[in-house]
Amino acid sequence: MPSPKNSDAGSAPQKTRLSRHVVLTAALELVDAEGLDALTMRRLGQRLNRDPMSLYRYAANRAGLLDGVSELVFDELSIHPRDPDWQAQLRHIAHDLRLLALRHPNVVPLLVTRPLSTPLGLRPLGTLRPLERILSLLIDAGFAPADALHVYRAYYGFLYGHILNELQEFIVDPDENEALLRLGLHRLPPKDFPQLRALGPVLANYDGAAELDQGIDILLSGLAARLPPRPEPAVSRPKAE
């Protein structure tokens, strides 16, 4: 029979070996569960059952944690810059980014606003890889480099706008059949908001994926019209006898 000492040692919980990935994964889980304001070295140390001071080896400060969380989320985004069908690839990325945002809604404000306070060349490399890959995709498709940058800005501006709109489509009472009551629109003064109240049934049946596809259709058709035509391949003619 094992001694009490050995039994106690065997039942002691094993600490997970720390690494940057382990620390950032725990940070992302904390943000997903409780929001960005909950992410501190102290709270993260509690979650990992470690002294908060030991975490500074993996992130210099809270700002480093936020940058690391951004990189970790962007690593989930699948982008194939060598895809010959650039329009299909942009559509795939759009839906992938939407699903990523729905998985991590508390991180979306970080992805949208944090880059505004950091010069492009000083941002974490992981947050710049989507830009580099999409630029490569567009340039290979035939866009001039400067035009590819304009396309990227319009594309991501639309995507972030759509995602923020979808995340704020709150339903007040999911079990209510009447659209005005379902969305709480009955509280709005009819004289001041006639159009918004009239759109109640449409708003109540919001389909984020379908709405994204409609916007992408409009965006891609406009971008395709601006793509310079590829030069025709030279046709070799048989030599005269």
Side-chain angles (χ1 to χ4, degrees), residues 52-105:
M53 295 302 295
S54 68
L55 304 182
Y56 285 94
R57 177 180 176 183
Y58 307 100
N61 46 37
R62 184 175 185 271
L65 283 179
L66 294 175
D67 287 340
V69 167
S70 297
E71 289 187 288
L72 197 62
V73 171
F74 275 125
D75 279 346
E76 297 181 31
L77 192 60
S78 176
I79 301 176
H80 303 286
R82 300 306 173 197
D83 190 335
D85 190 342
W86 65 274
Q87 294 190 57
Q89 182 62 200
L90 289 184
R91 189 182 297 276
H92 167 78
I93 296 168
H95 282 279
D96 205 18
L97 184 62
R98 172 182 175 267
L99 294 177
L100 186 154
L102 294 178
R103 287 197 301 271
H104 308 292

Side-chain angles (χ1 to χ4, degrees), residues 133-153:
R133 290 168 181 168
I134 290 177
L135 288 176
S136 296
L137 174 73
L138 294 170
I139 291 170
D140 285 352
F143 289 97
D147 290 337
L149 182 58
H150 294 316
V151 170
Y152 172 86
R153 287 169 176 162

Side-chain angles (χ1 to χ4, degrees), residues 106-224:
N106 290 337
V107 182
V108 170
L110 176 65
L111 303 182
V112 174
T113 62
R114 185 159 178 77
L116 300 177
S117 61
T118 310
L120 191 64
L122 299 180
R123 296 175 194 171
L125 298 183
T127 65
L128 292 176
R129 288 194 179 96
L131 168 58
E132 179 68 21
R133 290 168 181 168
I134 290 177
L135 288 176
S136 296
L137 174 73
L138 294 170
I139 291 170
D140 285 352
F143 289 97
D147 290 337
L149 182 58
H150 294 316
V151 170
Y152 172 86
R153 287 169 176 162
Y155 176 70
Y156 259 81
F158 164 74
L159 289 185
Y160 280 140
H162 169 85
I163 287 168
L164 291 174
N165 278 335
E166 182 168 358
L167 290 179
Q168 71 179 2
E169 293 285 339
F170 292 113
I171 300 296
V172 175
D173 184 357
D175 297 324
E176 175 58 57
N177 292 324
E178 174 59 42
L180 290 179
L181 299 176
R182 181 176 171 84
L183 296 171
L185 295 177
H186 61 287
R187 299 187 179 95
L188 300 180
K191 291 183 179 180
D192 295 335
F193 298 96
Q195 303 299 338
L196 196 53
R197 287 173 60 99
L199 284 170
V202 178
L203 292 169
N205 294 309
Y206 183 84
D207 184 333
E211 195 79 18
L212 177 62
D213 264 329
Q214 289 184 17
I216 285 291
D217 285 342
I218 296 170
L219 183 63
L220 292 180
S221 62
L223 295 178

